[in-house]
């Protein structure tokens, strides 16, 4: 049967000339410059062939480990497992990154098809009794092995992966675990795809300029451009950023704001084919079943084992501590904006709704701080900001960035940079992808096409990518960033430094492969540099006049740093509590999703509930990304970043020696040691919440 198939494929290959000459790039290490991904040579069929070959290679490699008659050792078992999936690693990294940044129906279907297969294959490995017997033998003898710290961690994490995948379960329960987890991988993928489809499904084109009152020129220009692309007259707004956010922030027309708000917040919560309500139920119930199989009371308890927080108690402790510290201030901030809205509208009974908040808090800021995005944008030209970030990475870590157009990219808008150290040695490749496309998910993220590791004594350089959704250049106007966008850029760039400066033996412990509640430290730390004068001097230059950003404008930025900070904290806590509520259920959930959410958010919501809107049905972080029972990580890491930045600040801000210590103790180490150990080595003590409270003016 197999042979027949083979002949059939061969005939097909001979029949088509191009297929005949085509080598599937996934099957061998990439032969492009610096072993970068040969995007333009990849054909759609290469994925299927690559996955099949990869799954076969992985299973063969695992079988070799099992069949090995020698005594199990760290090298012949643990390291061998780590390196068992070379081909799979290549094809999966490319596919799953492109389904985020440059997708189409064919790629979506491939992801749908192979994502459960990968979960299945991984379960098969981590539930294999013979293999686990070998791993367990090594683990039980770990004290006598004389392993170095990193090897020890690899052993520890490999052993835990077996346990977490059900290696200790009965045969029946193993099967249950596998079925549930491959079902989950399908569900979570569908969840994200539904949200993207719903985001793309809505747009509103306004032809009467009277309805656009309040919107700044740059937002109107972007909206006009959107109309043109659709062959329409007028101004088009949709649910992508910054289109949606600028409308909510500036449009005087309250009715239209309400329409847009309702469209945005009812995504995947309507009776149509993109409805996520049932998926939410199935996901949380499946996760609960997994927890129960593992003898845990809820999924959060299962998930939090591999985190710095360690258990639900310490997560709730942090969330509640922040809530009690920030809520009084948040209520004051809320009242200030409500009172302002009453004065602004001349309506003493004005009732603040969710679609009013952005608008009135922006107006208040304009009137009381004399600052808005439009005043800052001309000073933050994307290209100069990028150069400024490269400069900052040079000052802190001695890095240099060289654009190399000969490196293959997946879209003409993407640029690839060689990243070199002081000695001009190649450290990493950095891809930048800045503008929104229909094929791209919303938001901003950093990812890897290949993680760093050492192979045969040689450091294999990481291929790192940062993906954004910044305003596109229009006509003669270059892409100009808001201050929020500048901060987002710094954030993702911080993640990329974690990936680029990784220096570890194993890819699974390298760069951002750390505990979830530690991963936002390097990114959030970088955000602090946004208001460092030396950095602003580099990036804040008017794109037309070349004038440096005026000191009074910088002062205004600093004055508004804590503007509504408590309100935003409570908003983040709202997401954190909601996430924890979904993942601490102890009984199968059959109820109403909106109602559940309403209850979970009762302590953190400030607005009247709007029927039909729902966070859960579009909460990609927890239902499609990896943040289930992990959303609190943002706040956890904020405690860390404020505490860590305090060290930089006491040494003058952009300080090479502090950066060197941060690099050596944290960035380069990835997940090779427990994060608290790494952190204390950098900081000299455990973190406290004080620096954050002080930074936010709460204490
Ligand atoms: Zn992040």
């Amino acid at each position: 049967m197999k042979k027949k198939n083979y002949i059939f494929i061969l005939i097909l290959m001979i029949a088509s000339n191009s297929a005949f000459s085509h080598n599937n790039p996934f099957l061998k290490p990439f032969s492009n410059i610096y072993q970068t991904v040969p995007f333009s040579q990849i054909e759609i069929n290469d994925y299927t062939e690559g996955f099949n070959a990869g799954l076969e290679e992985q299973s063969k490699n695992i079988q070799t480990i099992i069949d090995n008659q020698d005594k199990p050792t760290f090298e012949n078992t643990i390291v061998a497992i780590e390196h068992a999936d070379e081909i799979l690693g290549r094809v999966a990294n490319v596919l799953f990154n492109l389904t985020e940044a440059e997708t189409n129906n064919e790629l979506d279907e491939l992801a749908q098809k192979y994502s459960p297969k990968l979960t299945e294959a991984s379960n098969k490995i981590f539930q294999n009794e013979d293999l686990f017997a070998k791993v367990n033998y090594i683990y039980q003898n770990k004290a006598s092995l004389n392993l170095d710290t990193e090897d020890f961690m690899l052993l520890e994490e490999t052993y835990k992966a077996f346990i977490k995948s059900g290696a200790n379960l009965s045969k029946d329960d193993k099967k249950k675990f596998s079925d549930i987890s491959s079902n989950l991988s399908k569900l979570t993928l569908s969840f994200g795809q539904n949200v993207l489809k719903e985001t793309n499904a809505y747009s509103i084109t306004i032809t009467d300029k009277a309805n656009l009152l309040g919107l700044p020129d740059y937002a109107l220009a972007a909206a006009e451009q959107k109309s043109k692309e659709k062959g329409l007259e007028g101004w088009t707004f949709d649910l992508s950023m910054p289109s949606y956010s600028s409308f909510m922030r500036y449009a005087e027309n309250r009715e239209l704001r309400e329409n847009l708000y309702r469209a945005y917040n009812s995504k995947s919560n309507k009776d149509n084919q993109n409805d996520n309500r049932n998926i939410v139920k199935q996901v949380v119930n499946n996760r609960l079943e997994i927890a129960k199989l593992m003898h845990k009371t809820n999924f959060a308890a299962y998930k939090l084992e591999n985190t710095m927080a360690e258990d639900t108690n310490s997560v709730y402790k942090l969330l509640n501590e922040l809530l009690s510290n920030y809520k009084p201030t948040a209520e004051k901030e809320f009242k200030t904006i409500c009172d302002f809205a009453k004065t602004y509208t001349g309506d003493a009974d004005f009732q603040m709704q969710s679609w009013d908040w952005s608008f009135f808090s922006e107006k208040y800021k304009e009137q009381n701080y004399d600052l808005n995005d439009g005043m800052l944008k001309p000073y933050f030209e994307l290209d100069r900001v990028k150069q400024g970030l490269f400069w900052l990475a040079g000052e802190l870590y001695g890095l240099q960035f060289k654009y190399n157009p000969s490196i293959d990219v997946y879209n003409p808008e993407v640029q690839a940079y060689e990243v070199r150290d002081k000695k001009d040695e190649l450290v990493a490749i950095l891809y930048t992808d800045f503008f929104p496309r229909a094929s791209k998910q919303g938001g901003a993220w950093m990812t890897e096409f290949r993680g760093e590791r050492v192979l045969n004594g040689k450091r294999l350089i990481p291929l790192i990518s940062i993906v954004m959704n910044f305003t596109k250049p229009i006509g003669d106007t270059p892409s100009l960033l808001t201050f929020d966008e500048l901060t987002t850029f710094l954030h993702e760039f911080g993640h990329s430094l974690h990936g680029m400066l990784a220096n570890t033996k194993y890819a699974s412990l390298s760069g951002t492969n750390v505990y979830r509640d530690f991963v936002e430290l390097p990114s959030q730390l970088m955000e602090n540099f946004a208001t460092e004068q030396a950095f602003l001097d580099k990036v804040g230059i008017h794109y037309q006049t070349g004038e440096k950003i005026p000191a009074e404008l910088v002062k205004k930025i600093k004055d508004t740093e804590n503007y509504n900070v408590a309100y935003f904290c409570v908003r983040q806590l709202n997401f954190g509590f909601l996430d924890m509520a979904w993942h601490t259920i102890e009984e199968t959930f059959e109820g109403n999703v909106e109602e559940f959410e309403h209850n979970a958010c009762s302590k953190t919501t400030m607005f009247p509930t709007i029927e039909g809107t729902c966070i859960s049905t579009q909460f990609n972080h927890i239902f499609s990304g990896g943040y289930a029972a992990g959303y609190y990580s943002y706040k956890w890491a904020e405690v860390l970043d404020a505490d860590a930045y305090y060290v930089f600040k006491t040494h003058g801000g952009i300080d090479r020696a502090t950066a060197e210590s941060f690099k050596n103790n944290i960035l380069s180490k990835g997940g090779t040691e427990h994060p608290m150990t790494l952190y204390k080595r950098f900081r000299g003590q455990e973190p406290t919440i004080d620096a954050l409270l002080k930074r936010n003016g709460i204490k």
Side-chain angles (χ1 to χ4, degrees), residues 105-123:
N105 286 340
E106 280 170 312
L107 292 182
D108 277 353
E109 275 164 28
L110 280 165
Q112 276 287 3
K113 182 173 169 196
Y114 282 100
S115 163
K117 281 187 198 245
L118 291 179
T119 313
E120 236 166 78
S122 148
N123 281 333

Side-chain angles (χ1 to χ4, degrees), residues 470-486:
F470 292 150
T471 313
K472 268 183 162 177
I474 301 167
D476 292 339
T477 313
S479 173
L480 302 172
L481 304 187
T482 64
F483 192 69
D484 278 351
E485 288 175 325
L486 169 75

Side-chain angles (χ1 to χ4, degrees), residues 444 491-492 495 519-520 523-524 627 634:
H491 179 101
E492 301 309 333
H495 281 309
V519 79
E520 298 297 333
S523 51
Q524 292 184 177
Y627 279 81
Y634 287 102

Side-chain angles (χ1 to χ4, degrees), residues 23-37:
N23 283 320
N24 185 331
F26 292 124
L27 303 183
K28 287 187 305 254
F30 296 139
S31 55
N32 273 23
I33 180 169
Y34 309 132
Q35 294 188 45
T36 49
V37 184

Side-chain angles (χ1 to χ4, degrees), residues 64 75 92 96 123 140 157 193 198 205 243 271-272 310 322 388 394 469 500 528 632 672 699:
T64 308
E75 285 294 327
F96 292 109
N123 281 333
Q140 300 309 331
E157 290 299 315
Q193 290 173 352
E198 286 275 284
T205 301
S243 179
D271 289 311
N272 63 13
E310 289 179 344
L322 290 171
N469 279 285
M500 294 190 290
N528 290 285
Y632 76 90
T672 58
K699 234 180 199 170

Side-chain angles (χ1 to χ4, degrees), residues 493-696:
F493 192 68
H495 281 309
S496 80
L497 287 168
H498 205 182
M500 294 190 290
L501 292 171
N503 195 2
T504 65
K505 282 188 267 188
Y506 309 114
S508 68
L509 298 177
S510 125
T512 52
N513 288 309
V514 297
Y515 290 169
R516 179 63 69 199
D517 48 5
F518 194 55
V519 79
E520 298 297 333
L521 166 62
S523 51
Q524 292 184 177
L525 179 81
M526 285 304 281
E527 293 181 28
N528 290 285
F529 291 100
T531 47
E532 283 294 338
Q533 191 60 52
F535 174 69
L536 281 173
D537 285 346
K538 287 280 168 189
V539 301
I541 295 183
H542 198 287
Y543 81 103
Q544 283 166 318
T545 63
E547 167 214 14
K548 244 171 77 172
I549 185 164
E552 70 262 27
L553 217 44
V554 173
K555 187 181 174 296
K556 284 177 192 171
I557 294 175
K558 289 183 179 169
D559 288 346
T560 51
E561 256 186 319
N562 284 333
Y563 177 60
N564 286 342
V565 73
Y567 167 84
F568 285 114
C569 174
V570 172
R571 207 178 122 80
Q572 282 291 80
L573 295 176
N574 187 54
F575 296 132
F577 279 113
L578 178 60
D579 168 32
M580 288 303 283
W582 280 123
H583 295 112
T584 48
I585 56 164
E586 294 179 5
E587 307 275 331
T588 306
F589 177 76
E590 297 296 353
N592 177 298
V593 172
E594 268 181 62
E595 213 174 282
F596 180 93
E597 177 173 309
H598 183 69
N599 291 332
C601 298
S602 61
K603 279 188 291 185
T604 41
T605 308
M606 301 198 162
F607 296 97
T609 312
I610 306 298
E611 217 178 302
T613 64
C614 192
I615 302 165
S616 301
T617 53
Q618 50 179 311
F619 202 169
N620 269 332
H621 271 85
I622 66 167
F623 290 118
S624 142
Y627 279 81
Y631 199 84
Y632 76 90
S633 305
Y634 287 102
K635 278 290 154 193
W636 188 275
E638 218 173 305
V639 171
L640 293 178
D641 96 65
D643 191 67
Y645 196 66
Y646 175 80
V647 185
F648 280 89
K649 208 67 205 165
T650 47
H651 291 90
I654 303 174
D655 178 57
R656 174 68 71 90
T658 310
E660 193 69 15
S661 158
F662 192 72
K663 175 182 138 190
N664 293 337
N665 290 310
I666 291 173
L667 294 177
S668 68
K669 296 283 188 196
T672 58
E673 287 183 73
H674 192 282
M676 191 57 95
T677 312
L678 296 179
Y679 189 79
K680 277 174 16 193
R681 213 172 280 148
F682 163 73
R683 182 66 174 91
Q685 63 183 55
E686 284 200 8
T688 70
I689 196 174
D690 299 348
L692 179 62
L693 294 179
K694 216 175 141 207
R695 182 171 78 186
N696 288 162

Side-chain angles (χ1 to χ4, degrees), residues 269-337:
N269 189 39
K270 300 184 274 287
D271 289 311
N272 63 13
Q273 70 274 27
N274 302 326
D275 194 337
N276 273 337
R277 279 174 292 188
N278 258 322
I279 297 186
V280 167
K281 288 186 198 179
Q282 291 176 61
V283 168
V284 294
N285 289 335
N286 275 327
R287 285 175 177 164
L288 175 63
E289 274 186 76
I290 286 198
K292 290 206 163 148
L293 280 174
M294 298 298 177
H295 307 290
K296 301 281 178 202
T297 47
N298 56 52
F299 184 75
Y302 166 72
K303 193 72 193 291
L304 289 167
E305 274 185 336
N306 266 19
T307 59
M308 221 171 157
E310 289 179 344
D311 55 35
T312 50
N313 279 346
S314 32
V315 173
Y316 276 118
K317 183 175 170 278
L318 174 81
L319 296 179
N320 285 319
E321 207 178 338
L322 290 171
L323 187 63
S324 63
N325 273 295
Y326 283 79
K327 190 143 183 214
T329 312
E331 276 165 349
K332 267 185 233 154
E333 290 167 355
F334 190 74
K335 189 174 178 301
T336 303
I337 302 300

